Amino acid sequence: MQSSLNFDDLVALLMVLFTLITTVANILLWNTTRQTVQLLLEQVRHQIATGYSQAQSRIIDAHRELFLAILNNPSLLESFTSANDLDPKTWEIEKIAEFLINQVLIGYLNFTNGIISLNHFDGFKRDARDVFAYESVRQHWHRVRVVHSDSFRRFVEMELLWEDGK
């Protein structure tokens, strides 16, 4: 029994082989395309997160500039605090505490948005604990904590304040 391929069998075998090669190539192309799309999605997510972090920073910077303009202008400070029945020194300390809290907020947002790595964030947390060690910052935090997001409140209270029982 000698088996020999006739022309029709050879053509059919080549078609099967060609179909197999085409199928494997399509699977590899699909996998590469999927990986490329996933990479592009991650880049878009990172750009959105970066934009959000930058927008938050600009808002905080604008508030800081506004308050510093008031703090650095004695007559404006006097007018503002008198009009609002505030003690100028107390208001200055509250604004400084607010600046420090907002600085911690920027670092936290940059971490949660993937802008800074965990290694850098660990160092940042040590600095942030030092910020929240100031009595004026802790007091101000207890007054303003409700305006911050749940996740930031948990971070401050569980990561920065809880160790000291404050």
Side-chain angles (χ1 to χ4, degrees):
M1 283 211 37
Q2 187 179 43
S3 87
S4 66
L5 290 174
N6 63 30
F7 182 74
D8 289 337
D9 292 338
L10 185 60
V11 169
L13 184 60
L14 286 174
M15 288 302 292
V16 167
L17 186 60
F18 179 72
T19 303
L20 178 66
I21 291 170
T22 303
T23 302
V24 169
N26 282 332
I27 289 170
L28 292 174
L29 180 62
W30 172 81
N31 192 40
T32 303
T33 302
R34 188 176 60 87
Q35 289 173 349
T36 302
V37 168
Q38 286 175 336
L39 180 65
L40 290 173
L41 285 173
E42 282 302 313
Q43 289 175 345
V44 167
R45 284 185 195 117
H46 185 74
Q47 287 174 340
I48 290 169
T50 299
Y52 177 74
S53 288
Q54 289 172 343
Q56 281 295 119
S57 292
R58 283 193 296 272
I59 291 168
I60 289 170
D61 288 345
H63 287 147
R64 184 174 25 241
E65 288 175 27
L66 175 65
F67 290 126
L68 285 174
I70 295 170
L71 289 170
N72 291 324
N73 184 329
S75 64
L76 185 57
L77 177 61
E78 176 58 34
S79 297
F80 180 81
T81 54
S82 292
N84 293 291
D85 197 29
L86 301 168
D87 174 59
K89 291 298 176 194
T90 302
W91 191 76
E92 286 177 7
I93 291 170
E94 285 179 356
K95 291 303 123 192
I96 292 168
E98 190 170 313
F99 296 161
L100 293 170
I101 291 170
N102 285 340
Q103 204 60 37
V104 172
L105 174 62
I106 290 171
Y108 173 78
L109 290 173
N110 286 336
F111 172 70
T112 59
N113 289 326
I115 309 301
I116 60 174
S117 70
L118 180 59
N119 289 340
H120 290 99
F121 190 64
D122 286 339
F124 168 80
K125 280 198 302 192
R126 285 189 299 276
D127 292 343
R129 280 187 191 106
D130 290 344
V131 166
F132 276 86
Y134 297 125
E135 183 63 29
S136 60
V137 172
R138 285 193 312 274
Q139 286 176 355
H140 192 67
W141 170 253
H142 291 294
R143 283 192 299 279
V144 301
R145 65 184 292 282
V146 296
V147 301
H148 290 279
S149 69
D150 290 339
S151 64
F152 183 63
R153 276 197 310 267
R154 277 191 305 276
F155 167 71
V156 169
E157 292 169 1
M158 301 304 286
E159 301 276 338
L160 305 180
L161 293 175
W162 76 272
E163 290 179 345
D164 296 328
K166 296 172 184 167

